[in-house]
Amino acid sequence: MAHLNIGSVIFPDIDQVDLSGPHEVLSRLPDSTWRLYARTVEPVTDMKGLRFLPDATLEEAPQLDVLHIPGGFGVDAAMQDPILVAWLRRQAEGAQLVFTVCTGAILLGATGLLRGRRATTHWASHHLLPLIGAIPVDERVVEDGPFVTAAGVTSGFDGALRVAARLRGEDVAQGIQLYMQYDPEPPFSAGSPAKAPQRVVDTARNAFAPVVARREAALRTIAAKFPS
């Protein structure tokens, strides 16, 4: 069994569940190491004020076997950081698997590596996937070759278990799921726009609208740089 170097990239205003959910799963894989990488080793603050301490800078990272990219509102600034985007592209090209959660797929897409690939992301940004050349798929987890993309936030648990099964087999993945007692019974059927009451969906879409508009503008600028 070959040792696995697993690494998450973190940046300001990530959604912490996009990070901590997959960590709960993948940090339990046998014969593996999980590390956090960022532009500096200063604490990184998530969207709601939770702070994470990077293990090392981007430059200090080895070639990772598994690259994990969380999402969050900070994706908009991160995808316009040429140093970060270039690092993500180098790491993704050499990794066995690349795993994104939520709008982490949008950040990966800024590298150009999702062009022609099936992918998913958070429902509020799902319609933006074609701007980065991705083929949008309305599923909770989508696998396309070495790329595994999970939809919004809690989908990271599902995606991480899929990654665990690919790397260490289904028995290991199921054992981790059992340890976590991951057997959700949500109190409401409101976890997707297709299920939530329309008034709830409308309120959420209105709240997201300014963020999505800025994200779309940034993506159009980035997409214009891709070769046709």
Side-chain angles (χ1 to χ4, degrees), residues 12-126:
D13 293 327
I14 61 170
D15 189 314
Q16 64 89 10
V17 180
D18 293 0
L19 174 66
S20 58
H23 178 268
E24 179 70 23
V25 176
L26 299 180
S27 65
R28 301 184 187 281
L29 289 179
D31 201 8
S32 67
T33 303
W34 180 296
R35 293 287 183 268
L36 300 179
Y37 298 100
R39 289 283 252 119
T40 74
V41 292
E42 295 299 312
V44 173
T45 304
D46 94 317
M47 291 165 50
K48 296 298 183 180
L50 191 62
R51 295 194 299 171
F52 294 90
L53 190 63
D55 293 295
T57 66
L58 303 181
E59 293 78 10
E60 294 169 328
Q63 173 58 61
L64 300 171
D65 300 302
V66 181
L67 171 63
H68 165 236
I69 308 172
F73 288 175
V75 158
D76 300 333
M79 67 184 180
Q80 298 177 74
D81 179 345
I83 293 175
L84 176 58
V85 171
W87 182 87
L88 288 171
R89 184 178 179 97
R90 289 195 303 272
Q91 284 286 350
E93 288 176 332
Q96 293 182 38
L97 284 177
V98 181
F99 172 40
T100 71
V101 181
C102 196
T103 50
I106 300 295
L107 179 52
L108 175 62
T111 68
L113 293 177
L114 282 184
R115 291 173 66 82
R117 297 282 190 172
R118 300 167 68 252
T120 191
T121 190
H122 189 278
W123 59 265
S125 294
H126 199 267

Side-chain angles (χ1 to χ4, degrees), residues 61-223:
Q63 173 58 61
L64 300 171
D65 300 302
V66 181
L67 171 63
H68 165 236
I69 308 172
F73 288 175
V75 158
D76 300 333
M79 67 184 180
Q80 298 177 74
D81 179 345
I83 293 175
L84 176 58
V85 171
W87 182 87
L88 288 171
R89 184 178 179 97
R90 289 195 303 272
Q91 284 286 350
E93 288 176 332
Q96 293 182 38
L97 284 177
V98 181
F99 172 40
T100 71
V101 181
C102 196
T103 50
I106 300 295
L107 179 52
L108 175 62
T111 68
L113 293 177
L114 282 184
R115 291 173 66 82
R117 297 282 190 172
R118 300 167 68 252
T120 191
T121 190
H122 189 278
W123 59 265
S125 294
H126 199 267
H127 65 290
L128 301 179
L129 287 170
L131 292 179
I132 52 177
I135 302 167
V137 180
D138 188 15
E139 294 180 6
R140 195 161 168 86
V141 180
V142 175
E143 300 181 51
D144 190 328
F147 300 104
V148 180
T149 56
V153 193
T154 60
S155 304
F157 287 107
D158 304 59
L161 287 167
R162 295 260 201 111
V163 170
R166 284 180 61 166
L167 294 170
R168 293 295 189 239
E170 290 189 2
D171 284 355
V172 168
Q174 290 182 47
I176 293 171
Q177 181 179 358
L178 178 60
Y179 171 84
M180 293 165 54
Q181 199 166 349
Y182 180 52
D183 188 21
E185 296 180 1
F188 308 107
S189 183
S192 75
K195 297 178 180 178
Q198 191 59 50
R199 66 184 182 280
V200 175
V201 175
D202 292 343
T203 298
R205 286 196 188 280
N206 289 336
F208 273 116
V211 174
V212 174
R214 290 193 298 270
R215 183 168 298 149
E216 180 174 354
L219 275 178
R220 288 189 182 280
T221 300
I222 290 168

